[in-house]
Amino acid sequence: MAKIKVTKVKSAINRTQNQKRILESLGLNKIGQTKVHDSSPSILGMVSKVSHLVSVEETK
């Protein structure tokens, strides 16, 4: 299965509680923090909800 690398690039201050929880569930707490996840539909859905706060790269 393909992997994606998700990096937090913006703060979650003044964001909805839902967006803060999504970032927390992705394992992103600090700006610049990076996590690698499987490219599953649930992960892609979470990333799309906070796409303005993260950057996404596809890895192998």
Side-chain angles (χ1 to χ4, degrees):
M1 181 172 238
K3 302 264 188 189
I4 57 170
K5 184 165 64 167
V6 184
T7 304
K8 185 175 179 181
V9 294
K10 286 191 176 179
S11 173
I13 295 173
N14 274 348
R15 304 297 174 187
T16 64
Q17 191 65 33
N18 188 34
Q19 291 175 353
K20 291 178 184 180
R21 287 184 181 145
I22 289 171
L23 288 171
E24 187 178 320
S25 66
L26 287 172
L28 301 173
N29 297 319
K30 297 183 177 184
I31 294 175
Q33 191 172 13
T34 301
K35 293 288 181 175
V36 177
H37 293 282
D38 289 330
S39 183
S40 65
S42 61
I43 295 293
L44 293 175
M46 286 193 285
V47 169
S48 70
K49 291 286 186 180
V50 292
S51 62
H52 55 287
L53 302 174
V54 299
S55 69
V56 181
E57 296 176 24
E58 201 168 315
T59 61
K60 291 186 179 182

